[in-house]
């Protein structure tokens, strides 16, 4: 096997394997938390949903990509391609939407009680499940065109304005459809990324300038532990957003280049797949290292699988 193909295959295999393992650990930890704790905090529900979206993304994009790199052919027929590409598009959209939702939620939670968000602070927890349902329905509708352009690979050369994914082709047939699709996807992503950047900037501003006011929200006996948890949660959210924005930037630089050429070189397409999937692979490990509840659950499971217990201190935040 060619050295470049080997390096590419090993890179995709490590990214896919570690990403699936990390997201599964997060989901299993939250499943046990939901069964053992009387109340799961809203931020935990958002993180759990994010882990599920990232897991779905890795299963529908990186797994077939890895198999294709190692020489497996004819993985899917036309119907399989349509289902996989449609599911991948939804998962990718949910990943950016839920990350944005997480940053907005955290900015509302730590906002001063006297701010304009005070009314929303009371209702925000009740809006979670309607928000999840709305994001699923909206993205399912937005991505509905993806199956119409998805086909199994054909023998011969790749036509113009076709994305060669290896295991499937996305044939836009003409330049107008190709550009419109690219602008629509990028435009949606930029809106949600802009929203998460603004909310994260607001979080940083509050942490820097209004720390004392935030601490005064709590009673004296709760200030130390609970406000420390809020600060830790806010920093984790900002780190997640920063991680997403970095890989989003790399992804879109490559995507903009792809929109300017009729035939995309395979190495460029592979680079985009790798960088666009890095967030889904790395974010669960950031959750594990920064979230005391997940860390404690996994530590207890590793130390004593028959008796998992969680210290409930700091259980109201990440």
């Amino acid at each position: 096997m060619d050295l470049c193909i080997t390096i590419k295959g090993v890179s995709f295999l490590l990214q896919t394997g570690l990403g699936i393992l990390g997201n599964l650990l997060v989901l299993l930890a939250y499943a046990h938390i939901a069964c053992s704790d009387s109340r799961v905090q809203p931020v935990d529900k958002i993180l759990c949903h994010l882990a599920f979206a990232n897991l779905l993304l890795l299963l529908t994009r990186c797994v077939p990509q890895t198999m294709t790199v190692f020489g497996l052919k004819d993985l899917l027929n036309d119907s399989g391609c349509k289902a996989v590409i449609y599911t991948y598009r939804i998962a990718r959209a949910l990943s950016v939407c839920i990350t944005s939702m997480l940053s907005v939620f955290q900015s509302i939670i730590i906002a001063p009680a006297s701010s304009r968000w005070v009314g929303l602070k009371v209702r925000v927890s009740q809006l979670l499940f309607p928000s999840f349902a709305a994001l699923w329905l909206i993205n399912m509708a937005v991505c509905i065109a993806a199956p119409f352009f998805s086909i199994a690979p054909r023998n011969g050369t790749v036509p113009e304005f076709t994305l060669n994914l290896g295991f499937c082709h996305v044939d836009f047939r003409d330049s107008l459809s190709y550009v419109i699709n690219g602008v629509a996807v990028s435009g949606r992503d930029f809106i949600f990324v802009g929203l998460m950047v603004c909310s994260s900037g607001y979080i940083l501003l509050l942490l820097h300038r209004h720390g004392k006011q935030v601490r005064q929200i709590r009673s004296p006996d709760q200030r130390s532990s609970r406000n420390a948890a809020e600060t830790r949660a806010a920093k984790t959210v900002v780190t997640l957003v920063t991680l997403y924005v970095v890989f989003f930037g790399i992804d879109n630089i490559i995507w903009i280049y792809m929109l300017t050429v009729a035939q995309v070189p395979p190495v460029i397409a592979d680079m985009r797949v790798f960088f666009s999937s890095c967030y889904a692979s790395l974010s669960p490990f950031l959750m594990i290292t920064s979230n005391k509840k997940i860390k404690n659950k996994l530590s207890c499971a590793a130390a004593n699988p028959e008796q998992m217990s969680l210290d409930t201190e700091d259980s109201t935040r990440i």
Side-chain angles (χ1 to χ4, degrees):
M1 185 179 291
D2 183 79
L3 179 60
C4 291
I5 296 177
T6 303
I7 294 174
K8 182 169 65 174
V10 171
S11 299
F12 275 114
L13 184 62
L14 288 175
Q15 182 190 58
T16 305
L18 291 175
I20 290 175
L21 175 63
N23 285 292
L24 280 176
L25 288 175
V26 172
L27 289 174
L28 290 173
Y30 275 129
H32 193 275
I33 291 171
C35 293
S36 60
D37 291 4
S38 58
R39 182 168 176 261
V40 179
Q41 296 300 315
V43 70
D44 294 322
K45 297 175 183 177
I46 299 176
L47 288 173
C48 184
H49 211 97
L50 177 61
F52 177 75
N54 287 336
L55 178 62
L56 199 60
L57 185 153
L58 292 169
L59 290 174
T60 55
R61 190 67 174 94
C62 291
V63 169
Q65 182 76 27
T66 304
M67 296 171 69
T68 302
V69 169
F70 281 108
L72 297 177
K73 299 183 182 299
D74 301 324
L75 295 176
L76 300 167
N77 56 20
D78 284 351
S79 298
C81 280
K82 294 179 187 299
V84 167
I85 297 301
Y86 182 52
T87 306
Y88 163 71
R89 289 290 184 89
I90 294 173
R92 184 184 181 279
L94 285 173
S95 182
V96 60
C97 293
I98 295 173
T99 303
S100 179
M101 178 182 176
L102 177 65
S103 62
V104 171
F105 175 84
Q106 194 61 42
S107 66
I108 294 172
I109 289 299
I110 70 169
S114 58
S115 74
R116 67 187 65 180
W117 301 108
V118 63
L120 192 56
K121 286 168 73 77
V122 179
R123 299 181 53 210
V124 66
S125 298
Q126 303 172 356
L127 297 175
L128 281 185
F129 285 109
S131 298
F132 287 146
L135 289 177
W136 272 94
L137 293 174
I138 290 172
N139 286 306
M140 288 173 68
V142 170
C143 300
I144 194 63
F148 296 101
F149 298 107
S150 304
I151 58 175
R154 303 290 192 261
N155 293 329
T157 60
V158 179
E160 289 187 339
F161 311 113
T162 298
L163 297 179
N164 182 9
L165 307 181
F167 58 94
C168 289
H169 288 172
V170 183
D171 184 5
F172 293 102
R173 299 180 179 85
D174 57 61
S175 175
L176 182 62
S177 299
Y178 187 61
V179 173
I180 288 177
N181 174 79
V183 172
V185 171
S186 297
R188 178 204 60 203
D189 290 352
F190 274 107
I191 290 173
F192 281 99
V193 169
L195 187 60
M196 71 173 74
V197 168
C198 291
S199 57
S200 297
Y202 180 64
I203 290 173
L204 290 175
L205 182 64
L206 288 177
L207 292 177
H208 179 68
R209 298 179 58 186
H210 302 295
K212 291 183 180 180
Q213 290 89 331
V214 172
R215 285 194 294 271
Q216 289 172 0
I217 297 175
R218 306 298 185 187
S219 58
D221 59 331
Q222 294 176 317
R223 287 176 187 171
S224 178
S225 62
R226 301 190 71 172
N227 281 281
E230 285 186 347
T231 300
R232 185 171 61 253
K235 290 179 178 179
T236 300
V237 170
V238 172
T239 305
L240 276 172
V241 169
T242 303
L243 187 68
Y244 187 91
V245 170
V246 169
F247 291 117
F248 171 82
I250 297 173
D251 177 19
N252 276 272
I253 290 173
I254 300 174
W255 179 235
I256 291 171
Y257 166 76
M258 292 171 65
L259 291 177
T260 63
V261 296
Q263 289 187 327
V264 180
V267 65
I268 299 297
D270 289 338
M271 287 175 59
R272 182 172 183 246
V273 172
F274 182 82
F275 285 113
S276 64
S277 304
C278 281
Y279 176 75
S281 299
L282 297 177
S283 59
F285 296 100
L286 177 60
M287 297 182 202
I288 292 171
T289 56
S290 60
N291 190 311
K292 283 190 174 182
K293 286 190 284 188
I294 297 178
K295 189 187 299 184
N296 289 343
K297 281 293 183 187
L298 296 178
S299 298
C300 291
N304 189 354
E306 297 180 355
Q307 185 179 1
M308 293 179 60
S309 61
L310 174 65
D311 181 5
T312 57
E313 183 179 4
D314 291 341
S315 64
T316 59
R317 295 292 185 270
I318 290 180

